[in-house]
Structures are given as C-alpha cells and as structure tokens.
Amino acid sequence: MVGMASRDDRIEGVLATAAGDELGAPYEFQPPRGPELDVVMAGGSPWEAGGWTDDTAMAIAIAEVAATGADLRDDAAQDAIVSRWREWSRVAKDVGSRPARCCTRQRQTVR
C-alpha cells in the first residue's frame, strides 16, 4: 500500500502535469516561441481554452484505474486502462500516432 505522503505526491504530480499540458496545448504543432512571449491558457485548435491534449486524457484513464486500488502492473488493470483509451480515442479531437496504434491493436485483440 502506498503511504499517504507518496499518494498525495502522486495526486499533486497528476494535477501539475495536467496544468502544464493545458498551458502547452495551444502551442502544440507550432514553431518554437521566444521567451519574450507570454504563455496563457488561450485555447487554440483543436482545443478550447483550458483544454488538454491526449497526454492528459490518457493519464486520466490511468488515474481512474489506479483510484480503484488496482495494481497497475496487473494484466487486468492494464487491460482496463487500454479499454478506457480505446473508448476515449473514438471521440478524441487529437490522438497521437502511438496511442492510435495501441487502441487499434487492442480492438483487434478483443474481438
């Protein structure tokens, strides 16, 4: 069992990662920005202001399975994560090439 301090650190890490992803989402696929330019949660294609990318969406699926108390090293937990990814990928605005391949392979394996 994970201690409370470690658990809290993980929760804070997930939230910090999501915030960073939100800040960076409008700048994805854009040329490098200079340090003189402000970074704001302005939104931008394909995300709304404050929206996140596939990185956070996929992390949410992991966090949801972890919140059940499942051992993430267990095959059943990993299958649950990939199933959530597959469901998310059907409606997502942006799915990276590797997650897309993972979801495709999982669909082929489950049939």
Side-chain angles (χ1 to χ4, degrees):
M1 189 71 167
V2 176
M4 284 303 269
S6 178
R7 180 179 160 269
D8 291 347
D9 287 346
R10 291 178 183 191
I11 292 168
E12 291 166 6
V14 167
L15 294 174
T17 299
D21 196 30
E22 288 179 47
L23 282 168
Y27 309 106
E28 246 189 14
F29 313 115
Q30 302 297 321
R33 297 173 45 85
E36 73 283 357
L37 299 173
D38 289 333
V39 176
V40 296
M41 287 187 190
S45 63
W47 303 278
E48 301 297 325
W52 56 75
T53 70
D54 58 337
D55 302 326
T56 295
M58 294 179 75
I60 289 169
I62 296 168
E64 288 172 343
V65 173
T68 68
D71 181 347
L72 298 181
R73 297 170 293 184
D74 183 63
D75 286 346
Q78 292 176 16
D79 288 344
I81 291 167
V82 174
S83 289
R84 287 172 190 255
W85 288 346
R86 186 184 70 201
E87 293 303 315
W88 155 80
S89 73
R90 291 179 177 163
V91 297
K93 293 180 182 179
D94 169 46
V95 180
S97 59
R98 286 184 187 207
R101 281 194 304 268
C102 176
C103 292
T104 300
R105 286 184 185 150
Q106 200 264 352
R107 277 194 293 274
Q108 293 168 349
T109 306
V110 171
R111 288 182 190 183

